[in-house]
Amino acid sequence: MSLTFDLHAHSNVSDGLLTPVELVEHAAAHKVDVLALTDHDDTAGLNIAREAAQRLGVQLINGVEISVTWKKRTLHIIGLKIDPEYAPLKTGLAEIRAGRHHRAVGMAASLDKAGIPGSLEGAYEYAQEGIISRTHFARFLVNSGVAKDNKAVFKNYLVKGKPGFFPHEWASMEDALSWIIGSGGVAVIAHPGRYDLGRTNMLLLLEEFRALGGAAIEVVTGSHTVDQYTEFAKYAHQFDLKSSLGSDYHGKGISFMEMGRLPALPSNCVPVWHDWPEAV
Ligand code: AMP
Ligand code: MN
Ligand code: MN
Ligand code: MN
């Protein structure tokens, strides 16, 4: 019997709607056997999720999704099987989270200028104890009637050239990979099809990622089209990278994809889990 993997999902420690425990329960209900909790720039949910995972028979993989600036673009690098106690990783993520607060203040100032007050407090109310992200600003903008839905927010606000955008420098790719690999984990490029890099930059990215010890790219993800599964399976093959699969689940209504609904990796892919004990 083959196992169902989902190696990309968010709890409310970052910008998901479910608590880490509820997320594991959701995964179990959707027949996910191996789940990676990959909150943005934070690992605080892992210990909380582990107890629920043991109770429900879900194999939990320690994960994180690190925000990176590469060639002035924001990329997301996932670490799987990381050690959340590894000091350089811990310190690095804490710095990114501090930067998130600074960015949020700038975003709110930009929204203020556009005649939309109260967004900093509003967004933090949704973020609660977790990190502050554009998703929380989006919830504020939708629930206060400024925008119709999440899609409208990411079209008309919070993106380059629109109210609420504030430029920000995240971690470098070198640092993110050194934290992940140094902690014993494997590095995966999240949703490569979402970056709109063009072929030349995509080739440069994959070359550099591989040279820095990167292990895999997401081939099947909630934010890829079926054609992109094939496209990125080819890139993985070309660069001798393994392939990953994950829903990028954030919760009902704000997800790219429900859990447990993704198709299998294309047959020419080597799964990132091919040599993991969880896979047997
Ligand atoms: P941040 O890391 O604070 O810039 O927030 C990025 C998050 O916003 C992503 O992880 C997604 O959850 C969400 N997001 C970004 N773009 C979109 C979009 N076009 N539609 C829905 N959610 C988005
Ligand atoms: Mn997110
Ligand atoms: Mn992402
Ligand atoms: Mn994600």
Side-chain angles (χ1 to χ4, degrees), residues 1-22:
M1 196 200 74
S2 74
L3 298 173
T4 299
F5 284 76
D6 189 330
L7 299 181
H8 188 162
H10 297 270
S11 77
N12 67 357
V13 162
S14 62
D15 57 348
L17 293 178
L18 302 180
T19 65
V21 169
E22 288 165 348

Side-chain angles (χ1 to χ4, degrees), residues 8 10 14-16 40-41 65 67 74 76 100 103 107 131-138 150-155 158-159 170 191 194 248 250 253-256:
H8 188 162
H10 297 270
S14 62
D15 57 348
H40 298 285
D41 309 318
E65 181 173 16
S67 308
T74 300
H76 288 170
R100 279 187 171 277
R103 179 180 73 142
M107 287 166 63
I131 64 149
I132 185 81
S133 76
R134 284 187 298 163
T135 312
H136 302 109
F137 278 85
N150 226 22
K151 205 174 157 189
V153 171
F154 284 99
K155 192 164 164 251
L158 316 185
V159 292
W170 302 103
H191 41 64
R194 255 171 61 188
D248 206 358
H250 283 72
I254 64 164
S255 277
F256 296 99

Side-chain angles (χ1 to χ4, degrees), residues 7 36-39 43 46 61-66 76-83 89 176-177 179-181 183-190 276:
L7 299 181
L37 173 57
T38 56
D39 278 310
T43 58
L46 297 173
I61 305 295
N62 281 344
V64 67
E65 181 173 16
I66 303 182
H76 288 170
I77 304 290
I78 289 187
L80 298 173
K81 299 204 157 223
I82 49 155
D83 172 4
L89 174 68
L177 264 75
W179 301 335
I180 292 168
I181 298 165
S183 88
V186 294
V188 183
I189 299 179
W276 291 3

